[in-house]
Amino acid sequence: RGALSSILLPTLHGATRQIIVVTSAEAGAGKTTVTSNLGVATAETGRSVLLIDADFRRPRLHHVFDMPNTSGLTDLLRLNTPVDSTPLRSLVQPTKIPNLCLMTSGPVTNSPSSLLYSPRLVEFLERMGREFDLVLIDAPPMLQFADARVMGRYSDGVILVLRAGQTKWEAAMLACQRFEEDQTRVLGTILNSWDLRHH
């Protein structure tokens, strides 16, 4: 909730809806936990929220919310059915938390990054931006895979999750530099697992 008030709430008072990518410089920073908690905290304010699991190699959001992952984003990007005419309930699943929905990753495929270059991704995100007040995309670590950089170009900004005592300073700076080169706005960073008494 503290992170929500610092990073997200100032951007939610305008007329435009927000699509935000949550990623980390390296694996193990806790981005999925941060994404989940930000989604829940925002939904508790009465805003409609969609979480998208775009970490095709290690999808975890369906485990967090105890939901099936038999179909999801990978299926949507491969199909030819029009995105705009598909009923919303066929695209996303409501969670047990009011105002919070989930688009699971779908089955793991070969060359998952290539799916992100589909024009259907842009169509889907544009529609979800109209349907929900906030869309949070859980993306893979950006220094390991290009996925977060690709989706960052379709978003309103990126949140970078760092883990205290684990994320290297050089990796954090390189991640910010890459987003700057892409002209992708970094809304802020979240320092995870930081304890004032021990750091």
Side-chain angles (χ1 to χ4, degrees), residues 160-178:
L160 188 64
V161 179
L162 315 171
R163 184 177 289 276
Q166 176 177 315
T167 304
K168 295 180 177 62
W169 172 266
E170 294 82 5
M173 295 303 293
L174 181 58
C176 289
Q177 180 183 334
R178 293 269 173 86

Side-chain angles (χ1 to χ4, degrees), residues 128-199:
M128 295 304 101
R130 297 191 299 269
E131 299 277 1
F132 293 90
D133 295 320
L134 177 67
V135 177
L136 292 172
I137 304 173
D138 184 10
M142 64 89 58
L143 294 182
Q144 292 177 283
F145 306 104
D147 302 22
R149 296 178 69 183
V150 173
M151 287 180 286
R153 293 173 180 144
Y154 306 142
S155 73
D156 296 299
V158 170
I159 293 174
L160 188 64
V161 179
L162 315 171
R163 184 177 289 276
Q166 176 177 315
T167 304
K168 295 180 177 62
W169 172 266
E170 294 82 5
M173 295 303 293
L174 181 58
C176 289
Q177 180 183 334
R178 293 269 173 86
F179 283 126
E180 185 177 354
E181 292 169 356
D182 296 340
Q183 297 183 336
T184 297
R185 181 183 176 200
V186 177
L187 299 174
T189 59
I190 293 178
L191 183 61
N192 205 11
S193 301
W194 184 68
D195 188 336
L196 179 61
R197 295 169 298 177
H198 299 102
H199 293 282

Side-chain angles (χ1 to χ4, degrees), residues 40-125:
V40 171
T42 307
E44 288 176 348
T45 68
R47 294 177 172 87
S48 59
V49 182
L50 173 65
L51 303 181
I52 300 176
D53 196 338
D55 194 340
F56 297 140
R57 297 163 192 84
R58 294 187 60 195
R60 290 186 52 238
L61 281 177
H62 65 285
H63 291 305
V64 173
F65 293 96
D66 192 24
M67 300 175 72
N69 189 28
T70 52
S71 63
L73 185 57
T74 56
D75 297 297
L76 174 78
L77 297 179
R78 285 197 306 263
L79 296 175
N80 294 318
T81 54
V83 174
D84 279 340
S85 62
T86 304
L88 182 63
R89 65 182 60 186
S90 299
L91 297 173
V92 302
Q93 305 176 58
T95 68
K96 296 176 183 178
I97 298 170
N99 303 318
L100 184 66
C101 290
L102 173 64
M103 162 63 92
T104 59
S105 67
V108 178
T109 63
N110 294 326
S111 303
S113 293
S114 62
L115 293 174
L116 298 177
Y117 293 95
S118 167
R120 291 175 59 80
L121 177 61
V122 180
E123 295 173 23
F124 173 67
L125 292 178

Side-chain angles (χ1 to χ4, degrees), residues 2-25:
L4 179 70
S5 61
S6 297
I7 296 177
L8 297 182
L9 282 181
T11 70
L12 290 173
H13 294 304
T16 58
R17 291 176 170 84
Q18 298 295 313
I19 299 174
I20 297 173
V21 174
V22 182
T23 186
S24 57

